[in-house]
Amino acid sequence: MTEKGKSKKQSSREAILASGALCFMERGFSATSIDDIAERIGATKGMVYHYFDSKAELFFEIQQKGMDALFAEINPLLSAELAPQERFIAMAHAHVRTLLDTQPFQRTMSEGVYMHLRHSSNQAQAKQLQALQARRHEYEDVFLSALTQGVEAGELRADNPRLATRLILASLNSIIVWYQMRENDSNAEREQFISSVVDTVLKGVIHA
């Protein structure tokens, strides 16, 4: 396959993933059909099935892509020359920014978590959901490690770092449910919103 052909194939696949994420965000997994996903991008159902064997496969790949996006923004900060508190705050900013940039993917992932907790899946889906949960726990542990380092350095505070980490991430993650960026929002307004969210959520672990 030529580079142009590979690029077109990748573009089509990405378009289907984006369409699926929007449909799952708006209607949920059960109420979304392959026809809905295809119609959104002006494609045929056959085109969607060319890239994905089932709606479930698409659903899980969207969630993996959402996790990939989060890790991609956080990982560079782990090796950056930053003080523990500075690193933790930067990680929180990167997390919120990624949630905003990939909101449909994150909302789809949120539905996957609820499906896992409700055990509302078949055996094959349960294995996929368990694998995704493992990645979420890995991501949580990255924040836990950063918070713990900050506590040990005397720059952050938390009597129970694991609990604090979970509460912080839960609070930050809530924006995917209640907040929607407006089309005319400037980058400055967007960054101000991110800073306001992070400052509010992290007040409990930052020394006054």
Side-chain angles (χ1 to χ4, degrees):
M1 182 182 294
T2 65
E3 287 301 318
K4 184 177 180 180
K6 289 179 181 178
S7 177
K8 183 178 180 181
K9 181 178 180 179
Q10 184 64 20
S11 177
S12 297
R13 187 179 184 84
E14 293 297 319
I16 293 169
L17 286 166
S19 174
L22 284 167
C23 288
F24 291 139
M25 179 177 72
E26 294 169 357
R27 308 177 190 185
F29 176 74
S30 297
T32 296
S33 69
I34 292 294
D35 284 320
D36 294 329
I37 295 167
E39 183 178 353
R40 192 172 203 120
I41 55 175
T44 64
K45 182 162 59 174
M47 177 182 169
V48 178
Y49 279 123
H50 176 73
Y51 293 99
F52 301 95
D53 292 336
S54 65
K55 183 175 72 169
E57 181 186 354
L58 175 58
F59 181 65
F60 292 121
E61 185 156 337
I62 287 169
Q63 294 179 67
Q64 291 287 6
K65 192 173 180 64
M67 285 304 312
D68 289 344
L70 291 170
F71 274 109
E73 293 302 315
I74 292 299
N75 284 338
L77 297 172
L78 304 182
S79 56
E81 294 185 6
L82 298 170
Q85 177 176 295
E86 188 180 3
R87 175 178 290 106
F88 193 72
I89 293 173
M91 288 169 63
H93 275 82
H95 180 77
V96 174
R97 192 174 295 110
T98 307
L99 293 179
L100 294 177
D101 289 343
T102 61
Q103 187 175 17
F105 291 83
Q106 305 303 328
R107 284 280 292 274
T108 300
M109 187 159 55
S110 179
E111 182 177 6
V113 172
Y114 288 124
M115 286 176 65
H116 176 69
L117 295 175
R118 294 194 308 263
H119 304 288
S120 54
S121 57
N122 59 41
Q123 188 172 5
Q125 291 172 352
K127 289 182 178 179
Q128 293 270 19
L129 290 170
Q130 288 169 5
L132 283 161
Q133 278 297 88
R135 288 199 75 193
R136 287 173 64 88
H137 289 317
E138 180 185 351
Y139 186 76
E140 176 186 304
D141 285 343
V142 172
F143 271 82
L144 173 61
S145 178
L147 176 57
T148 301
Q149 289 172 17
V151 171
E152 292 173 348
E155 297 183 13
L156 297 171
R157 61 184 180 186
D159 293 332
N160 186 331
R162 172 69 72 181
L163 177 61
T165 298
R166 288 179 174 174
L167 289 173
I168 287 168
L169 287 175
S171 297
L172 296 177
N173 289 343
S174 70
I175 67 167
I176 66 172
V177 176
W178 57 263
Y179 186 77
Q180 185 65 49
M181 292 290 293
R182 296 167 298 185
E183 289 185 6
N184 60 343
D185 281 350
S186 65
N187 285 334
E189 289 172 322
R190 178 174 177 270
E191 290 302 314
Q192 180 57 51
F193 170 75
I194 292 171
S195 293
S196 295
V197 169
V198 171
D199 290 349
T200 300
V201 172
L202 297 192
K203 276 185 178 179
V205 297
I206 294 177
H207 291 291

